[in-house]
PDB file of all heavy atoms in Angstrom:
ATOM      1  N   PRO A 156       0.800  -1.227   0.009  1.00  0.00           N
ATOM      2  CA  PRO A 156       0.001   0.005  -0.001  1.00  0.00           C
ATOM      3  C   PRO A 156       0.843   1.263   0.004  1.00  0.00           C
ATOM      4  O   PRO A 156       0.450   2.265  -0.636  1.00  0.00           O
ATOM      5  CB  PRO A 156      -0.827  -0.137   1.262  1.00  0.00           C
ATOM      6  CG  PRO A 156      -0.876  -1.619   1.549  1.00  0.00           C
ATOM      7  CD  PRO A 156       0.422  -2.125   1.111  1.00  0.00           C
ATOM      8  N   GLU A 157       1.960   1.245   0.689  1.00  0.00           N
ATOM      9  CA  GLU A 157       2.827   2.441   0.750  1.00  0.00           C
ATOM     10  C   GLU A 157       3.349   2.793  -0.646  1.00  0.00           C
ATOM     11  O   GLU A 157       3.368   3.933  -1.058  1.00  0.00           O
ATOM     12  CB  GLU A 157       3.972   2.229   1.704  1.00  0.00           C
ATOM     13  CG  GLU A 157       4.858   3.490   1.830  1.00  0.00           C
ATOM     14  CD  GLU A 157       6.077   3.301   2.742  1.00  0.00           C
ATOM     15  OE1 GLU A 157       6.277   2.140   3.204  1.00  0.00           O
ATOM     16  OE2 GLU A 157       6.796   4.263   3.015  1.00  0.00           O
ATOM     17  N   VAL A 158       3.768   1.781  -1.374  1.00  0.00           N
ATOM     18  CA  VAL A 158       4.296   2.003  -2.736  1.00  0.00           C
ATOM     19  C   VAL A 158       3.126   2.528  -3.627  1.00  0.00           C
ATOM     20  O   VAL A 158       3.357   3.412  -4.447  1.00  0.00           O
ATOM     21  CB  VAL A 158       4.856   0.691  -3.309  1.00  0.00           C
ATOM     22  CG1 VAL A 158       5.153   0.867  -4.816  1.00  0.00           C
ATOM     23  CG2 VAL A 158       6.108   0.310  -2.566  1.00  0.00           C
ATOM     24  N   THR A 159       1.950   1.996  -3.437  1.00  0.00           N
ATOM     25  CA  THR A 159       0.796   2.418  -4.231  1.00  0.00           C
ATOM     26  C   THR A 159       0.507   3.896  -4.000  1.00  0.00           C
ATOM     27  O   THR A 159       0.252   4.674  -4.927  1.00  0.00           O
ATOM     28  CB  THR A 159      -0.451   1.592  -3.883  1.00  0.00           C
ATOM     29  OG1 THR A 159      -0.207   0.209  -4.148  1.00  0.00           O
ATOM     30  CG2 THR A 159      -1.654   2.042  -4.737  1.00  0.00           C
ATOM     31  N   VAL A 160       0.564   4.311  -2.725  1.00  0.00           N
ATOM     32  CA  VAL A 160       0.321   5.738  -2.395  1.00  0.00           C
ATOM     33  C   VAL A 160       1.384   6.628  -3.003  1.00  0.00           C
ATOM     34  O   VAL A 160       1.046   7.664  -3.609  1.00  0.00           O
ATOM     35  CB  VAL A 160       0.304   5.930  -0.841  1.00  0.00           C
ATOM     36  CG1 VAL A 160       0.290   7.408  -0.513  1.00  0.00           C
ATOM     37  CG2 VAL A 160      -0.893   5.248  -0.237  1.00  0.00           C
ATOM     38  N   ILE A 161       2.658   6.234  -2.911  1.00  0.00           N
ATOM     39  CA  ILE A 161       3.727   7.015  -3.491  1.00  0.00           C
ATOM     40  C   ILE A 161       3.562   7.105  -5.027  1.00  0.00           C
ATOM     41  O   ILE A 161       3.715   8.170  -5.641  1.00  0.00           O
ATOM     42  CB  ILE A 161       5.085   6.429  -3.147  1.00  0.00           C
ATOM     43  CG1 ILE A 161       5.325   6.539  -1.629  1.00  0.00           C
ATOM     44  CG2 ILE A 161       6.215   7.129  -3.904  1.00  0.00           C
ATOM     45  CD1 ILE A 161       6.559   5.792  -1.125  1.00  0.00           C
ATOM     46  N   ALA A 162       3.265   6.018  -5.656  1.00  0.00           N
ATOM     47  CA  ALA A 162       3.135   5.966  -7.126  1.00  0.00           C
ATOM     48  C   ALA A 162       1.957   6.821  -7.562  1.00  0.00           C
ATOM     49  O   ALA A 162       2.053   7.585  -8.550  1.00  0.00           O
ATOM     50  CB  ALA A 162       2.914   4.564  -7.600  1.00  0.00           C
ATOM     51  N   ALA A 163       0.810   6.730  -6.819  1.00  0.00           N
ATOM     52  CA  ALA A 163      -0.374   7.499  -7.185  1.00  0.00           C
ATOM     53  C   ALA A 163      -0.078   9.007  -6.999  1.00  0.00           C
ATOM     54  O   ALA A 163      -0.473   9.833  -7.875  1.00  0.00           O
ATOM     55  CB  ALA A 163      -1.563   7.106  -6.341  1.00  0.00           C
ATOM     56  N   ALA A 164       0.563   9.391  -5.918  1.00  0.00           N
ATOM     57  CA  ALA A 164       0.875  10.795  -5.662  1.00  0.00           C
ATOM     58  C   ALA A 164       1.801  11.322  -6.744  1.00  0.00           C
ATOM     59  O   ALA A 164       1.618  12.485  -7.209  1.00  0.00           O
ATOM     60  CB  ALA A 164       1.527  10.968  -4.305  1.00  0.00           C
ATOM     61  N   GLY A 165       2.759  10.509  -7.190  1.00  0.00           N
ATOM     62  CA  GLY A 165       3.640  10.936  -8.236  1.00  0.00           C
ATOM     63  C   GLY A 165       2.927  11.111  -9.548  1.00  0.00           C
ATOM     64  O   GLY A 165       3.207  12.086 -10.308  1.00  0.00           O
ATOM     65  N   ALA A 166       2.003  10.214  -9.862  1.00  0.00           N
ATOM     66  CA  ALA A 166       1.237  10.338 -11.084  1.00  0.00           C
ATOM     67  C   ALA A 166       0.381  11.608 -11.069  1.00  0.00           C
ATOM     68  O   ALA A 166       0.265  12.324 -12.094  1.00  0.00           O
ATOM     69  CB  ALA A 166       0.338   9.112 -11.261  1.00  0.00           C
ATOM     70  N   ILE A 167      -0.251  11.912  -9.963  1.00  0.00           N
ATOM     71  CA  ILE A 167      -1.061  13.116  -9.808  1.00  0.00           C
ATOM     72  C   ILE A 167      -0.216  14.367 -10.032  1.00  0.00           C
ATOM     73  O   ILE A 167      -0.583  15.289 -10.744  1.00  0.00           O
ATOM     74  CB  ILE A 167      -1.773  13.157  -8.468  1.00  0.00           C
ATOM     75  CG1 ILE A 167      -2.833  12.013  -8.389  1.00  0.00           C
ATOM     76  CG2 ILE A 167      -2.434  14.512  -8.243  1.00  0.00           C
ATOM     77  CD1 ILE A 167      -3.452  11.795  -7.032  1.00  0.00           C
ATOM     78  N   ALA A 168       0.966  14.372  -9.403  1.00  0.00           N
ATOM     79  CA  ALA A 168       1.854  15.545  -9.564  1.00  0.00           C
ATOM     80  C   ALA A 168       2.268  15.711 -11.021  1.00  0.00           C
ATOM     81  O   ALA A 168       2.319  16.839 -11.536  1.00  0.00           O
ATOM     82  CB  ALA A 168       3.085  15.364  -8.659  1.00  0.00           C
ATOM     83  N   ALA A 169       2.586  14.619 -11.707  1.00  0.00           N
ATOM     84  CA  ALA A 169       3.053  14.676 -13.097  1.00  0.00           C
ATOM     85  C   ALA A 169       1.927  15.209 -13.982  1.00  0.00           C
ATOM     86  O   ALA A 169       2.183  16.043 -14.868  1.00  0.00           O
ATOM     87  CB  ALA A 169       3.487  13.306 -13.581  1.00  0.00           C
ATOM     88  N   ILE A 170       0.707  14.737 -13.775  1.00  0.00           N
ATOM     89  CA  ILE A 170      -0.418  15.173 -14.586  1.00  0.00           C
ATOM     90  C   ILE A 170      -0.723  16.645 -14.336  1.00  0.00           C
ATOM     91  O   ILE A 170      -1.044  17.431 -15.226  1.00  0.00           O
ATOM     92  CB  ILE A 170      -1.674  14.303 -14.364  1.00  0.00           C
ATOM     93  CG1 ILE A 170      -1.418  12.904 -14.936  1.00  0.00           C
ATOM     94  CG2 ILE A 170      -2.879  14.922 -15.002  1.00  0.00           C
ATOM     95  CD1 ILE A 170      -1.196  12.877 -16.416  1.00  0.00           C
ATOM     96  N   ARG A 171      -0.632  17.092 -13.083  1.00  0.00           N
ATOM     97  CA  ARG A 171      -0.870  18.511 -12.732  1.00  0.00           C
ATOM     98  C   ARG A 171       0.133  19.373 -13.504  1.00  0.00           C
ATOM     99  O   ARG A 171      -0.237  20.443 -13.999  1.00  0.00           O
ATOM    100  CB  ARG A 171      -0.761  18.672 -11.260  1.00  0.00           C
ATOM    101  CG  ARG A 171      -1.982  18.253 -10.451  1.00  0.00           C
ATOM    102  CD  ARG A 171      -1.710  18.290  -8.952  1.00  0.00           C
ATOM    103  NE  ARG A 171      -2.938  18.043  -8.194  1.00  0.00           N
ATOM    104  CZ  ARG A 171      -2.931  17.846  -6.885  1.00  0.00           C
ATOM    105  NH1 ARG A 171      -1.800  17.860  -6.203  1.00  0.00           N
ATOM    106  NH2 ARG A 171      -4.067  17.627  -6.249  1.00  0.00           N
ATOM    107  N   ARG A 172       1.364  18.973 -13.563  1.00  0.00           N
ATOM    108  CA  ARG A 172       2.358  19.741 -14.286  1.00  0.00           C
ATOM    109  C   ARG A 172       2.012  19.800 -15.782  1.00  0.00           C
ATOM    110  O   ARG A 172       2.127  20.836 -16.442  1.00  0.00           O
ATOM    111  CB  ARG A 172       3.774  19.138 -14.052  1.00  0.00           C
ATOM    112  CG  ARG A 172       4.378  19.472 -12.708  1.00  0.00           C
ATOM    113  CD  ARG A 172       5.830  19.091 -12.649  1.00  0.00           C
ATOM    114  NE  ARG A 172       6.062  17.666 -12.689  1.00  0.00           N
ATOM    115  CZ  ARG A 172       6.092  16.865 -11.644  1.00  0.00           C
ATOM    116  NH1 ARG A 172       5.916  17.358 -10.451  1.00  0.00           N
ATOM    117  NH2 ARG A 172       6.311  15.584 -11.778  1.00  0.00           N
ATOM    118  N   ALA A 173       1.618  18.632 -16.338  1.00  0.00           N
ATOM    119  CA  ALA A 173       1.291  18.553 -17.731  1.00  0.00           C
ATOM    120  C   ALA A 173       0.085  19.419 -18.078  1.00  0.00           C
ATOM    121  O   ALA A 173      -0.030  19.951 -19.191  1.00  0.00           O
ATOM    122  CB  ALA A 173       1.066  17.127 -18.158  1.00  0.00           C
ATOM    123  N   MET A 174      -0.872  19.541 -17.126  1.00  0.00           N
ATOM    124  CA  MET A 174      -2.088  20.287 -17.350  1.00  0.00           C
ATOM    125  C   MET A 174      -1.831  21.786 -17.502  1.00  0.00           C
ATOM    126  O   MET A 174      -2.661  22.483 -18.077  1.00  0.00           O
ATOM    127  CB  MET A 174      -3.068  20.122 -16.158  1.00  0.00           C
ATOM    128  CG  MET A 174      -3.796  18.830 -16.111  1.00  0.00           C
ATOM    129  SD  MET A 174      -4.822  18.830 -14.615  1.00  0.00           S
ATOM    130  CE  MET A 174      -5.524  17.145 -14.710  1.00  0.00           C
ATOM    131  N   ALA A 175      -0.759  22.285 -16.957  1.00  0.00           N
ATOM    132  CA  ALA A 175      -0.516  23.744 -16.871  1.00  0.00           C
ATOM    133  C   ALA A 175      -0.671  24.445 -18.198  1.00  0.00           C
ATOM    134  O   ALA A 175      -1.147  25.577 -18.259  1.00  0.00           O
ATOM    135  CB  ALA A 175       0.874  23.999 -16.271  1.00  0.00           C
ATOM    136  N   GLU A 176      -0.281  23.812 -19.307  1.00  0.00           N
ATOM    137  CA  GLU A 176      -0.278  24.460 -20.571  1.00  0.00           C
ATOM    138  C   GLU A 176      -1.455  24.014 -21.449  1.00  0.00           C
ATOM    139  O   GLU A 176      -1.488  24.294 -22.667  1.00  0.00           O
ATOM    140  CB  GLU A 176       1.036  24.174 -21.301  1.00  0.00           C
ATOM    141  CG  GLU A 176       2.289  24.638 -20.573  1.00  0.00           C
ATOM    142  CD  GLU A 176       2.257  26.118 -20.201  1.00  0.00           C
ATOM    143  OE1 GLU A 176       1.744  26.931 -21.008  1.00  0.00           O
ATOM    144  OE2 GLU A 176       2.744  26.466 -19.116  1.00  0.00           O
ATOM    145  N   ARG A 177      -2.424  23.267 -20.896  1.00  0.00           N
ATOM    146  CA  ARG A 177      -3.530  22.768 -21.689  1.00  0.00           C
ATOM    147  C   ARG A 177      -4.747  23.645 -21.440  1.00  0.00           C
ATOM    148  O   ARG A 177      -4.895  24.330 -20.454  1.00  0.00           O
ATOM    149  CB  ARG A 177      -3.825  21.340 -21.288  1.00  0.00           C
ATOM    150  CG  ARG A 177      -2.655  20.370 -21.296  1.00  0.00           C
ATOM    151  CD  ARG A 177      -2.057  20.214 -22.710  1.00  0.00           C
ATOM    152  NE  ARG A 177      -0.843  19.324 -22.688  1.00  0.00           N
ATOM    153  CZ  ARG A 177      -0.938  18.036 -22.921  1.00  0.00           C
ATOM    154  NH1 ARG A 177      -2.113  17.478 -23.225  1.00  0.00           N
ATOM    155  NH2 ARG A 177       0.157  17.306 -22.927  1.00  0.00           N
ATOM    156  N   ASP A 178      -5.739  23.562 -22.385  1.00  0.00           N
ATOM    157  CA  ASP A 178      -6.945  24.286 -22.228  1.00  0.00           C
ATOM    158  C   ASP A 178      -7.863  23.559 -21.244  1.00  0.00           C
ATOM    159  O   ASP A 178      -7.647  22.388 -20.930  1.00  0.00           O
ATOM    160  CB  ASP A 178      -7.663  24.502 -23.572  1.00  0.00           C
ATOM    161  CG  ASP A 178      -8.074  23.203 -24.237  1.00  0.00           C
ATOM    162  OD1 ASP A 178      -8.773  22.366 -23.592  1.00  0.00           O
ATOM    163  OD2 ASP A 178      -7.730  22.981 -25.411  1.00  0.00           O
ATOM    164  N   PRO A 179      -8.909  24.235 -20.685  1.00  0.00           N
ATOM    165  CA  PRO A 179      -9.755  23.623 -19.670  1.00  0.00           C
ATOM    166  C   PRO A 179     -10.368  22.288 -20.038  1.00  0.00           C
ATOM    167  O   PRO A 179     -10.441  21.383 -19.239  1.00  0.00           O
ATOM    168  CB  PRO A 179     -10.809  24.680 -19.442  1.00  0.00           C
ATOM    169  CG  PRO A 179     -10.113  25.986 -19.711  1.00  0.00           C
ATOM    170  CD  PRO A 179      -9.228  25.668 -20.934  1.00  0.00           C
ATOM    171  N   ALA A 180     -10.824  22.140 -21.305  1.00  0.00           N
ATOM    172  CA  ALA A 180     -11.455  20.891 -21.739  1.00  0.00           C
ATOM    173  C   ALA A 180     -10.447  19.770 -21.696  1.00  0.00           C
ATOM    174  O   ALA A 180     -10.757  18.638 -21.256  1.00  0.00           O
ATOM    175  CB  ALA A 180     -12.032  21.045 -23.122  1.00  0.00           C
ATOM    176  N   GLU A 181      -9.204  20.043 -22.102  1.00  0.00           N
ATOM    177  CA  GLU A 181      -8.154  19.010 -22.113  1.00  0.00           C
ATOM    178  C   GLU A 181      -7.747  18.692 -20.695  1.00  0.00           C
ATOM    179  O   GLU A 181      -7.479  17.509 -20.350  1.00  0.00           O
ATOM    180  CB  GLU A 181      -6.959  19.489 -22.901  1.00  0.00           C
ATOM    181  CG  GLU A 181      -5.841  18.500 -23.040  1.00  0.00           C
ATOM    182  CD  GLU A 181      -6.164  17.257 -23.821  1.00  0.00           C
ATOM    183  OE1 GLU A 181      -7.277  17.155 -24.364  1.00  0.00           O
ATOM    184  OE2 GLU A 181      -5.333  16.333 -23.897  1.00  0.00           O
ATOM    185  N   GLN A 182      -7.707  19.674 -19.807  1.00  0.00           N
ATOM    186  CA  GLN A 182      -7.399  19.438 -18.413  1.00  0.00           C
ATOM    187  C   GLN A 182      -8.405  18.458 -17.793  1.00  0.00           C
ATOM    188  O   GLN A 182      -8.052  17.582 -17.047  1.00  0.00           O
ATOM    189  CB  GLN A 182      -7.374  20.734 -17.639  1.00  0.00           C
ATOM    190  CG  GLN A 182      -6.186  21.646 -17.963  1.00  0.00           C
ATOM    191  CD  GLN A 182      -6.259  22.955 -17.216  1.00  0.00           C
ATOM    192  OE1 GLN A 182      -7.055  23.170 -16.365  1.00  0.00           O
ATOM    193  NE2 GLN A 182      -5.315  23.866 -17.580  1.00  0.00           N
ATOM    194  N   ALA A 183      -9.701  18.730 -18.075  1.00  0.00           N
ATOM    195  CA  ALA A 183     -10.765  17.847 -17.546  1.00  0.00           C
ATOM    196  C   ALA A 183     -10.610  16.425 -18.064  1.00  0.00           C
ATOM    197  O   ALA A 183     -10.763  15.425 -17.331  1.00  0.00           O
ATOM    198  CB  ALA A 183     -12.136  18.407 -17.884  1.00  0.00           C
ATOM    199  N   ARG A 184     -10.330  16.329 -19.369  1.00  0.00           N
ATOM    200  CA  ARG A 184     -10.151  14.986 -19.975  1.00  0.00           C
ATOM    201  C   ARG A 184      -8.982  14.227 -19.320  1.00  0.00           C
ATOM    202  O   ARG A 184      -9.092  13.020 -19.007  1.00  0.00           O
ATOM    203  CB  ARG A 184      -9.925  15.115 -21.494  1.00  0.00           C
ATOM    204  CG  ARG A 184      -9.861  13.751 -22.195  1.00  0.00           C
ATOM    205  CD  ARG A 184      -9.195  13.867 -23.568  1.00  0.00           C
ATOM    206  NE  ARG A 184      -7.769  14.195 -23.484  1.00  0.00           N
ATOM    207  CZ  ARG A 184      -6.854  13.300 -23.136  1.00  0.00           C
ATOM    208  NH1 ARG A 184      -7.127  12.069 -22.829  1.00  0.00           N
ATOM    209  NH2 ARG A 184      -5.566  13.683 -23.114  1.00  0.00           N
ATOM    210  N   MET A 185      -7.881  14.929 -19.127  1.00  0.00           N
ATOM    211  CA  MET A 185      -6.700  14.313 -18.511  1.00  0.00           C
ATOM    212  C   MET A 185      -6.984  13.865 -17.092  1.00  0.00           C
ATOM    213  O   MET A 185      -6.551  12.815 -16.648  1.00  0.00           O
ATOM    214  CB  MET A 185      -5.538  15.250 -18.580  1.00  0.00           C
ATOM    215  CG  MET A 185      -5.002  15.531 -19.995  1.00  0.00           C
ATOM    216  SD  MET A 185      -3.713  16.798 -20.000  1.00  0.00           S
ATOM    217  CE  MET A 185      -2.347  15.947 -19.262  1.00  0.00           C
TER     218      MET A 185
END
């Protein structure tokens, strides 16, 4: 479970960074 939490948090952080330059519709899709 600890590895799962770390992996999920890392994925969320990566997607948040990628969203920064996308339009709102694409952010919602991602």
